Amino acid sequence: MTSLLNFSCSNQKQEVVKEEDNRPNVILFVADDHGTDALGCYGNPIIKTPNLDKLAKEGVRFTNAYCTSASCAASRSVILSGKFGHATGSYGHVHDYHHFSTFDNVKSLSNRLTDAGYLTARIGKYHVAPEHVYLFDEVLNADPRNTVEMADKCVDVINSKKPFFLYFCTDDPHRGHPFKPEPWYAPNTFGNKKEGYKDVAQVTYKPEDVLVPEFLPDNKQSREEIAQYYQSISRIDQGFGKLMSHLKDAGKLDTTIVIYISDNGMAFPGAKTTVYEPGIKLPCIIKDPTKSKKGITNTARVSWVDLTPTILDMAAVSYDKEDFHGKSFNSVIDSEGSKDWNQIYASHTFHEITMYYPMRVVIDGDYKLIWNIANRLEYPFASDLWAASTWQAIYRNKEEYFGHKKVKDYMFRPEFELFNLSKDPNESNNLAEDENYAETLQSLKSQMKSFQLKTKDPWLIMWDHDNSLQGTGVNL
């Protein structure tokens, strides 16, 4: 009897191991401040990103992927929790005196995957807190500006006998220190160094060749800074290629899901820290060997709040859908779009603690509504963006326009901004005061309120002092 029981248990154990071995590995590669403006596969003919372009050819390129907050720490908390930052206490930066932190009762993606038997590892930029909420089995160390070195440090994880989840986060192409240049008109380095980085080929760009997005001024300073930004991205691409080479050497290309995203848009005024399209509409490339279609473009609107449930689905890890604000888009990855994926919500409150400017967003079909809750305040600048020569060239010369917007309109915003994205992709024509769009405005306001109520957004109180989410204020 004992022998039979042991035999039965042994068989069960073998079956479990076999099942685990069949689960896919997952690499979530997160760049820092990389917009869709600077990738070959997203239509930029100047920048050299051959490895990421190859990923798009072998996978799926999303053209309507959004972060929820164009701020590093706030965005990363959403990526790893599946919840909006306004509901988890992740209102802004975690470092220095900013010190925002996720609530203790949140269970993150990494913790869930560890519990499910995955080896979880992270390397590079972390920028979330507390660590026990965002816990990984292994923390790997390398220069986060040298993605080739980072990739080399991941070899042991890639060769793990257990299925692995690798959270690979670069510092590129974030602006580099010092943020305040001397002289003021010098371009930021974006982490580039004259001597370069070990095992990384320097790919440089001429300012006259770069593409200047319409929301930026086309001047000497912008072009010089964009050239530096491009160089930093080409460094990312080389490290990504090296990581894929290690995956190939381990024989795991066909058993590993690879996801490339950025936390928010390019680190220029008008993108990062805003909820305009250049700030929140981002690259998202997914290669899943189990999907049938390759090299396609997917127009479904997906959000970083959807990533945690999506990755859990990919890994066959069960969860309660009510645990998340987002939902899995795993079933539509290899489609070319879906009418059921046409809405986006965004929620930004802080970047630095001195930058209080809560904004909420709903996009439904062609229309996008921005609610500038603190519209009576001057729009606050991130310290690195204020010091940027791109901005200082406009500010010091008292120029009227910054890109296609007037400076005064950038600095002082109305309570509501309503745009038709299909007709006005640059968000230049605010329809909020146009009587012809009164019904659309009211409908989107109602959707926004419902979203805030559903996700327990404390800023719901700013609608006519709606205190329906307030507690009693009494300790019981």
Side-chain angles (χ1 to χ4, degrees):
M1 182 69 179
T2 302
S3 173
L4 180 61
L5 182 61
N6 287 339
F7 178 76
S8 175
C9 289
S10 175
N11 281 350
Q12 284 182 338
K13 186 175 182 181
Q14 288 176 1
E15 287 175 4
V16 170
V17 170
K18 184 177 180 181
E19 181 183 343
E20 286 184 348
D21 287 346
N22 287 334
R23 291 186 296 173
N25 310 302
V26 181
I27 296 176
L28 179 56
F29 192 116
V30 185
D32 196 356
D33 303 353
H34 186 190
T36 57
D37 57 281
L39 273 163
C41 57
Y42 278 87
N44 186 322
I46 304 300
I47 196 163
K48 297 178 178 65
T49 52
N51 294 298
L52 290 168
D53 296 347
K54 181 181 179 184
L55 183 71
K57 288 179 181 177
E58 296 175 346
V60 178
R61 179 177 62 94
F62 284 82
T63 55
N64 286 301
Y66 288 80
C67 67
T68 65
S69 176
S71 176
C72 302
S75 181
R76 289 163 194 268
S77 74
V78 174
I79 290 169
L80 292 174
S81 72
K83 289 189 172 185
F84 288 93
H86 61 241
T88 66
S90 309
Y91 304 129
H93 280 344
V94 303
H95 66 288
D96 297 335
Y97 50 76
H98 312 294
H99 206 55
F100 291 108
S101 184
T102 300
F103 298 148
D104 286 342
N105 62 350
V106 173
K107 189 170 183 181
S108 72
L109 173 62
S110 56
N111 291 23
R112 290 171 184 271
L113 288 173
T114 293
D115 290 348
Y118 269 74
L119 169 66
T120 61
R122 66 174 174 88
I123 188 168
K125 187 164 184 173
Y126 188 45
H127 220 33
V128 287
E131 188 171 7
H132 73 267
V133 168
Y134 302 102
L135 194 62
F136 287 78
D137 298 325
E138 295 188 16
V139 178
L140 310 176
N141 294 307
D143 183 347
R145 291 286 188 181
N146 185 339
T147 46
V148 171
E149 179 185 317
M150 291 173 70
D152 287 342
K153 289 293 180 73
C154 296
V155 170
D156 287 347
V157 170
I158 289 172
N159 284 290
S160 167
K161 292 182 180 179
K162 297 172 66 175
F164 67 82
F165 170 62
L166 175 61
Y167 184 55
F168 191 108
C169 302
T170 70
D171 272 7
D172 292 326
H174 193 286
R175 286 176 175 266
H177 290 280
F179 290 148
K180 188 174 183 179
E182 190 60 47
W184 72 263
Y185 50 81
N188 186 271
T189 65
F190 288 81
N192 304 315
K193 299 189 298 187
K194 289 182 180 179
E195 66 274 23
Y197 290 86
K198 186 176 184 296
D199 298 325
V200 179
Q202 288 212 62
V203 181
T204 60
Y205 298 87
K206 296 178 181 179
E208 59 266 29
D209 292 338
V210 304
L211 304 181
V212 181
E214 289 194 41
F215 71 91
L216 290 176
D218 189 350
N219 58 24
K220 179 177 182 290
Q221 287 75 26
S222 290
R223 288 184 167 275
E224 288 177 344
E225 292 212 297
I226 293 172
Q228 294 291 324
Y229 166 65
Y230 280 12
Q231 182 177 337
S232 186
I233 291 166
S234 285
R235 188 164 56 252
I236 291 175
D237 186 78
Q238 289 181 59
F240 180 83
K242 188 69 171 180
L243 189 65
M244 295 302 100
S245 176
H246 289 317
L247 204 59
K248 181 180 180 181
D249 291 343
K252 294 188 177 182
L253 278 175
D254 294 333
T255 56
T256 304
I257 296 166
V258 181
I259 303 170
Y260 181 87
I261 62 169
S262 172
D263 57 357
N264 50 250
M266 66 191 302
F268 285 75
K272 183 177 180 179
T273 77
T274 79
V275 290
Y276 295 129
E277 296 292 278
I280 63 174
K281 188 176 181 181
L282 303 174
C284 178
I285 309 170
I286 299 177
K287 180 186 176 183
D288 182 345
T290 69
K291 304 298 184 186
S292 58
K293 295 182 180 178
K294 313 293 181 185
I296 66 170
T297 297
N298 192 321
T299 60
R301 283 197 171 112
V302 298
S303 168
W304 290 180
V305 77
D306 301 319
L307 283 171
T308 282
T310 299
I311 291 171
L312 291 175
D313 258 3
M314 290 170 163
V317 176
S318 61
Y319 59 90
D320 185 341
K321 293 181 180 179
E322 296 303 312
D323 287 347
F324 306 117
H325 296 146
K327 60 181 180 178
S328 171
F329 58 86
N330 185 42
S331 63
V332 299
I333 286 177
D334 61 350
S335 69
E336 296 183 14
S338 171
K339 63 181 180 181
D340 296 325
W341 290 85
N342 206 25
Q343 288 183 330
I344 288 291
Y345 295 97
S347 171
H348 177 96
T349 306
F350 285 92
H351 180 64
E352 298 160 11
I353 197 169
T354 49
M355 293 178 62
Y356 176 75
Y357 203 86
M359 298 171 283
R360 302 294 183 262
V361 177
V362 57
I363 302 175
D364 190 355
D366 291 338
Y367 291 97
K368 175 178 180 178
L369 177 65
I370 301 173
W371 181 27
N372 296 309
I373 299 172
N375 62 90
R376 291 180 179 85
L377 300 177
E378 179 177 300
Y379 189 80
F381 264 83
S383 52
D384 57 335
L385 300 188
W386 175 264
S389 60
T390 294
W391 172 255
Q392 288 294 315
I394 302 300
Y395 175 71
R396 288 169 179 264
N397 293 317
K398 297 181 171 56
E399 295 192 18
E400 184 179 5
Y401 279 87
F402 180 81
H404 60 77
K405 288 183 181 288
K406 288 186 176 181
V407 171
K408 68 177 182 64
D409 293 333
Y410 184 80
M411 298 294 293
F412 298 96
R413 304 184 181 185
E415 183 176 10
F416 294 102
E417 296 177 86
L418 176 64
F419 303 110
N420 184 325
L421 294 177
S422 64
K423 295 180 179 179
D424 180 25
N426 292 317
E427 299 165 290
S428 300
N429 183 22
N430 183 9
L431 304 172
E433 298 297 326
D434 189 327
E435 292 183 0
N436 295 315
Y437 296 90
E439 188 175 333
T440 300
L441 177 63
Q442 189 56 47
S443 174
L444 292 175
K445 283 183 179 180
S446 296
Q447 285 181 242
M448 188 176 288
K449 289 179 185 178
S450 296
F451 154 70
Q452 290 183 275
L453 189 62
K454 181 180 179 181
T455 59
K456 295 181 171 58
D457 182 359
W459 278 264
L460 179 73
I461 199 171
M462 302 308 291
W463 296 100
D464 300 320
H465 300 281
D466 182 341
N467 65 353
S468 55
L469 290 179
Q470 292 283 76
T472 63
V474 177
N475 291 324
L476 299 177

